[in-house]
Each structure stands twice: as structure tokens, then as C-alpha cells.
Amino acid sequence: AFQLVTVLPVINNIVRNQVFIMIWGEAGTPPKSALWIFNGLYILTFLIVQIFNISPNTVMSLAGAFIGFVIIYLLPVGIHFKALMQKKALEQQGYNSIADGDEGEASNIAEFLRKKQNINYFLEYAVHGVIMAVGVGIFIMQLVPLIQKLIDYL
């Protein structure tokens, strides 16, 4: 009970500040409704974990599975899709180089892809869609033990 009064509000404040800085930036002030929604979801998360008696190991494995999915599957495929969209837009506008345009990782990849003359967009999207489907499948497989535990509990 002592931790609920001392540690949990401090952790909530740290997490809330980090999330809101990512969304609104250093100088931005989030609306009051965002604060209420975040605090409500934060409390609801802890309440669900306590009601279903979910072990911290399960929570950490799910968080690791989600972060691993994002880092290994979602980000690389997302950057590649963005580069493909930039390349397609450049082709429609008739540009040969994007050196004058956007900067960043996706632009560098789009410049690399520009050198590849004939890209089959359907094949690119299909292959990367299969990669994403495999990633989603692996993520769902990580959820199976938790779902079984919830079914057994009910």
C-alpha cells in the first residue's frame, strides 16, 4: 500500500511527461482531456493487471514482444514503404533525383531505389506484406499464453 502512495504517482508523472513531450513537444501544453484520458488508461492498466493477477514476467514478455515487433518488423517495412511512395511520387512528377527535396532515412532509401530502374510495386508490397504478416503472427503467438490464462481464470 505504501508504494501506491509514493512510487506509483512518481512513475505516472515520469511516463506521462515523456509521452506528452513526444506528442506535443517541449513547449506544447496538452489539453486537460488528454491528461484525464492518460491517467484513466494508466490506472485501468494497473487495475486489470491486479484483477487478473498477471505476473510481472508476463507483462515484460508482452512489452518485449510488442517492442520487438515494432523494431524488427514495423519500422524497417514502414521506412521501405515510405521510400517506395516517395519514389513513385517522384516518378510521376518526372524528377530524377531527390537531392533538392526531403532529407532523412526514407529519402536516402528513395534515392537508392531511384537507381533501380524497374521496380514491381505489387511485388514489393506483397513481399513486405508477407513479412508484416509473419511479424503479426509471431506477436499473436506471444499473446496465446495470456489468453489461455484469462480463459482459465474466467
Side-chain angles (χ1 to χ4, degrees):
F2 185 68
Q3 285 184 334
L4 291 176
V5 178
T6 57
V7 176
L8 195 59
V10 172
I11 294 173
N12 182 15
N13 188 29
I14 292 169
V15 171
R16 184 180 59 219
N17 287 339
Q18 293 298 316
V19 168
F20 287 162
I21 285 173
M22 283 190 311
I23 296 172
W24 281 280
E26 290 282 342
T29 304
K32 288 275 190 196
S33 61
L35 293 171
W36 282 98
I37 290 171
F38 182 85
N39 287 336
L41 289 174
Y42 195 82
I43 292 169
L44 185 65
T45 302
F46 283 104
L47 185 63
I48 289 172
V49 167
Q50 188 61 39
I51 288 173
F52 292 113
N53 196 22
I54 300 172
S55 72
N57 294 338
T58 305
V59 174
M60 288 174 36
S61 70
L62 290 176
F66 178 73
I67 296 299
F69 168 73
V70 169
I71 291 173
I72 293 172
Y73 293 100
L74 195 60
L75 289 177
V77 172
I79 289 172
H80 188 73
F81 281 169
K82 184 173 181 182
L84 284 175
M85 288 188 300
Q86 283 183 349
K87 182 183 183 316
K88 198 172 192 178
L90 289 173
E91 286 175 350
Q92 290 173 350
Q93 295 174 359
Y95 290 112
N96 291 328
S97 176
I98 61 169
D100 300 333
D102 296 333
E103 295 181 6
E105 186 72 22
S107 297
N108 294 337
I109 295 172
E111 183 67 25
F112 170 76
L113 291 174
R114 181 192 61 79
K115 296 174 184 172
K116 292 174 69 176
Q117 294 301 318
N118 296 321
I119 291 180
N120 185 345
Y121 288 101
F122 177 76
L123 183 62
E124 289 282 335
Y125 286 119
V127 167
H128 287 85
V130 168
I131 292 171
M132 285 295 294
V134 167
V136 169
I138 291 171
F139 178 66
I140 290 173
M141 286 174 22
Q142 293 288 327
L143 296 176
V144 169
L146 178 63
I147 293 170
Q148 288 176 343
K149 186 176 180 179
L150 289 176
I151 290 172
D152 293 341
Y153 180 77
L154 298 176

